Structure formats: C-alpha cells, structure tokens
C-alpha cells in the first residue's frame, strides 16, 4: 500500500497537518479498500503544536519507507530546520520519494535545499519572504499549487486540499479523486489560482515625488479612456520623459499603473454591486468588454464572473 508520511515539526499548523490526514486516510479504491497508509512522524517524541502537544507514532525513520512525504506549514518560517530533518528529507528525495509541502511547509523544503532551481509556491502573504530568503527558488505566488514532478508545493490553507486531490488523481485516476473530493465537500478542480485572493497594490511613489499629483489625477480619472499622449500632456512632459520618470519613481509605467487602478475598482464593484460585468468594465475605463475580461484574467487569475461568484457580498 502507498505509504504517506506527514512530517510534524514544532510549530506545525494544525489545519495543514489535518488536511492530508483526513483526505488520504478516507480515500477508497473502487473495491472499497484503503488507498493509503497515512503515518504521522516527527523528529522528537513530542511536538509543540501551539494549542496542543502532538505525540507522533513514528520517528523520522518512516521517511525511508514512505512513497509520499508531506510537510505541513509551520508558524515560524524563520525557524531553522533541524539537521536530522534536513538529512531525512534529502535522503528521501535521493531515493525518488514524492515530497510535497502545504503552505509555509515550502520554507522547510527550501531550507533543506530541495527547491533550488525549481518552481514553487506558498501562501501569497509569505511568497516575497520565501523568494528573498531562498533566491534559487522560482516562487510563483499566483497559483494554488505547483507540481514539479517529484516535488510539489501548495499555497495556504484550502489549497492543501487542492494539492492532495491532485496527488490522488495522479495516483488512482479521476474517479477515485472525485470521490475523495465529494467527501471533503470540495470541487475536484477550482477555477483560477491564488491570485484572485490577493488585493493588487499600486506601486507606491516616494513621498514628495513629482509624480504624486499625476497619480492622484490618474486615480480620479481612471474611468475615462486615457491615452498615453493625454497623460503626458496633463503631466506637461513628452511621453518618453514621462515613461522614464514614472518608472524611476514607481517601478512601472503610467498605463500599467492605470490598468491596475481600474482592476482594483472593478473588483470592488463586482463585490458590492449588481451591475453587469460589461457595464463594470466600461465604468472603470476599459474600451471594450474583451479588453476588460482579458486584463482582469491576467491580473486576478480568474474571470470577472468567477470572481464575483466567489467574493460578492450576500449581505
């Protein structure tokens, strides 16, 4: 039987720990037999899980017999990974074991050197920190999970469910995975990625920047169809000079900044009004419904309709 080892470290996030335990342990094959043998292991007899103490039944030796190792998130991502955990994970990787992380568990895999040169993800709020601390890792903050073959990583909380269901489908096919999804009251696949949960922030301009008046004007006039020539004329500069100074002070271009302001406004309208998607696109300044939908999908990672379905207030 396929052995799944769930590695619990001090500060383990209980939600992340419970997700693979429940999903894999409840998965059944067509004949009704269990699909996985799930074992919780740890580097010490007792693991500090914050609100409770965990006593794993298995030690790190189970990493040597596991077919899949899952590393749940930990509260303190700056905590050093114990040497014996690093050694156990590296040995498992060397023998071809599939290794996956949930949420901030990616910091443990990165700390063991397993994600160097690979694409990976983690909770969007910690993605910049992962990229800064481990520059050899290609961090993608917009997706729910990354399957890089032997190494898999997922975003925060519920994305761990998406990853577990993905692995079940890889192992046993869509029918078994669909049954597991139904038990978890989850769709087998969710539309869009992690990007839809991230509120895009405008690139800031330094206080006292010469661009501040222009940024205010752009925000106030984002609903108009503005050309680069019109923006440059308002700023009293040539388009070339404006692009250069704008990028120096904000890190982006006037049109890119304007598009982001429009998308932020569109998100607010999708969440709080009943206006049609095309009308919202026009209200925020897009010249055509197609241009609005394409830009929205590029920034948010899902369609305006799907975003509204997920986030519109029902109050």
């Amino acid at each position: 039987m396929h052995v799944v080892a769930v590695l619990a470290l001090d500060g383990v996030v209980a939600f992340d720990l419970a997700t693979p335990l429940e999903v894999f342990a409840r998965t059944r094959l067509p004949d009704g037999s269990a699909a996985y043998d799930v074992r919780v292991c740890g580097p010490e007899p007792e693991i500090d899980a914050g609100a409770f103490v965990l006593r794993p039944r298995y030690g790190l030796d189970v990493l040597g017999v596991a077919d899949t190792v899952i590393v749940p998130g930990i509260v303190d991502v700056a905590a050093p990974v114990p040497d014996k955990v690093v050694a156990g994970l590296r040995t498992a990787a060397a023998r071809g074991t599939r290794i996956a992380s949930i949420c901030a568990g990616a910091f443990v895999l990165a700390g063991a050197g397993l994600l160097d040169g690979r694409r990976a993800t983690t909770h969007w709020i910690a993605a910049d920190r992962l990229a800064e601390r481990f520059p050899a890792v290609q961090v993608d903050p917009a997706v729910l999970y990354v399957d890089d073959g032997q190494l898999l990583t997922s975003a925060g909380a519920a994305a761990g469910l998406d990853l577990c269901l993905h692995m079940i489908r890889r192992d046993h096919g869509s029918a078994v995975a669909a049954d597991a999804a139904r038990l978890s009251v989850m769709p087998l696949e969710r539309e869009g990625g992690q990007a839809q949960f991230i509120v895009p922030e405008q690139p800031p301009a330094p206080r006292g920047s010469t661009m501040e008046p222009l940024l205010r004007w752009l925000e106030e006039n984002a609903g108009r169809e503005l050309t680069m020539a019109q923006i440059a004329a308002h700023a009293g500069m040539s388009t070339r000079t404006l692009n250069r100074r704008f990028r120096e002070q904000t890190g982006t271009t006037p049109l890119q900044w304007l598009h982001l302001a429009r998308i932020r406004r569109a998100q607010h309208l999708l969440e709080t009004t009943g206006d049609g998607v095309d009308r919202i696109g026009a209200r925020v300044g897009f010249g055509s419904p197609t241009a609005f939908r394409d830009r929205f999908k590029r920034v948010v990672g899902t369609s305006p309709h799907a975003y509204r379905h997920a986030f519109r207030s029902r109050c």
Side-chain angles (χ1 to χ4, degrees), residues 240-259:
R240 182 176 180 180
T241 299
L242 175 60
N243 265 323
R244 176 172 54 81
R245 292 186 181 176
F246 201 96
R247 186 176 289 278
E248 286 173 352
Q249 296 184 30
T250 69
T252 188
T253 69
L255 289 180
Q256 288 171 335
W257 196 97
L258 180 61
H259 286 320

Side-chain angles (χ1 to χ4, degrees), residues 196-220:
Q196 63 188 296
F197 301 98
I198 306 171
V199 178
E201 296 183 2
Q202 294 289 4
R207 183 164 295 179
S209 160
T210 57
M211 289 295 111
E212 277 193 319
L214 179 62
L215 296 181
R216 286 196 298 271
W217 182 81
L218 286 173
E219 190 79 47
E220 293 166 359

Side-chain angles (χ1 to χ4, degrees), residues 91-147:
T91 300
R95 59 185 287 270
T97 302
R98 181 172 65 185
I99 302 177
S101 66
I102 296 176
C103 195
F107 283 82
V108 177
L109 300 191
L114 300 184
L115 298 181
D116 287 358
R118 293 178 179 268
R119 180 169 163 260
T121 194
T122 187
H123 193 295
W124 61 267
I125 207 168
D128 286 346
R129 191 169 180 183
L130 181 66
E132 180 180 358
R133 186 172 166 193
F134 302 101
V137 180
Q138 302 164 23
V139 180
D140 185 346
V143 296
L144 294 175
Y145 60 83
V146 171
D147 182 344

Side-chain angles (χ1 to χ4, degrees), residues 1-313:
M1 186 184 299
H2 189 118
V3 176
V4 176
V6 182
L7 176 60
L9 303 177
D10 280 341
V12 64
V13 177
F15 189 103
D16 297 352
L17 176 72
T19 294
L21 296 184
E22 289 297 307
V23 175
F24 286 105
R26 293 178 182 273
T27 299
R28 291 292 180 269
L29 298 176
D31 64 2
S33 62
Y36 299 96
D37 174 8
V38 185
R39 307 178 186 182
V40 178
C41 64
E44 304 296 340
E46 289 192 351
I47 300 298
D48 181 1
F52 58 92
V53 172
L54 179 70
R55 296 187 178 89
R57 287 186 175 178
Y58 298 90
L60 294 181
D61 56 326
V62 78
L63 300 180
V65 299
D67 300 288
T68 296
V69 173
I70 299 180
V71 182
I74 52 175
V75 174
D76 183 6
V77 297
V81 184
D83 290 342
K84 55 187 175 182
V85 172
V86 171
L89 289 173
R90 287 178 176 173
T91 300
R95 59 185 287 270
T97 302
R98 181 172 65 185
I99 302 177
S101 66
I102 296 176
C103 195
F107 283 82
V108 177
L109 300 191
L114 300 184
L115 298 181
D116 287 358
R118 293 178 179 268
R119 180 169 163 260
T121 194
T122 187
H123 193 295
W124 61 267
I125 207 168
D128 286 346
R129 191 169 180 183
L130 181 66
E132 180 180 358
R133 186 172 166 193
F134 302 101
V137 180
Q138 302 164 23
V139 180
D140 185 346
V143 296
L144 294 175
Y145 60 83
V146 171
D147 182 344
D148 196 29
Q150 184 187 0
L151 275 293
L152 303 90
T153 52
S154 75
L161 278 166
D162 295 286
L163 179 60
C164 290
L165 292 172
H166 170 72
M167 288 190 285
I168 293 169
R169 182 165 53 184
R170 266 182 48 175
D171 295 340
H172 300 293
S174 295
V176 171
D179 285 341
R182 281 189 282 269
L183 282 173
S184 299
V185 197
M186 275 279 294
L188 185 52
E189 286 189 60
R190 284 196 286 166
E191 181 175 350
Q194 194 175 189
Q196 63 188 296
F197 301 98
I198 306 171
V199 178
E201 296 183 2
Q202 294 289 4
R207 183 164 295 179
S209 160
T210 57
M211 289 295 111
E212 277 193 319
L214 179 62
L215 296 181
R216 286 196 298 271
W217 182 81
L218 286 173
E219 190 79 47
E220 293 166 359
N221 291 274
R224 295 170 51 195
E225 287 191 44
L226 296 174
T227 66
M228 189 62 205
Q230 290 172 315
I231 298 171
H234 181 84
M237 306 177 192
S238 68
T239 56
R240 182 176 180 180
T241 299
L242 175 60
N243 265 323
R244 176 172 54 81
R245 292 186 181 176
F246 201 96
R247 186 176 289 278
E248 286 173 352
Q249 296 184 30
T250 69
T252 188
T253 69
L255 289 180
Q256 288 171 335
W257 196 97
L258 180 61
H259 286 320
L260 200 54
R262 289 169 170 167
I263 294 301
R264 284 167 57 89
R265 178 62 178 160
Q267 287 178 292
H268 174 73
L269 293 174
L270 288 166
E271 294 170 16
T272 59
T273 75
D275 288 353
V277 168
D278 292 352
R279 175 171 169 74
I280 288 175
R283 283 183 62 181
V284 301
F286 285 93
S288 74
T290 299
F292 170 54
R293 294 167 196 271
D294 288 347
R295 178 67 62 170
F296 193 95
K297 182 71 175 287
R298 198 178 311 162
V299 173
V300 183
T302 191
S303 69
H305 282 293
Y307 182 87
R308 164 171 275 171
H309 182 74
F311 293 100
R312 184 179 176 186
S313 171

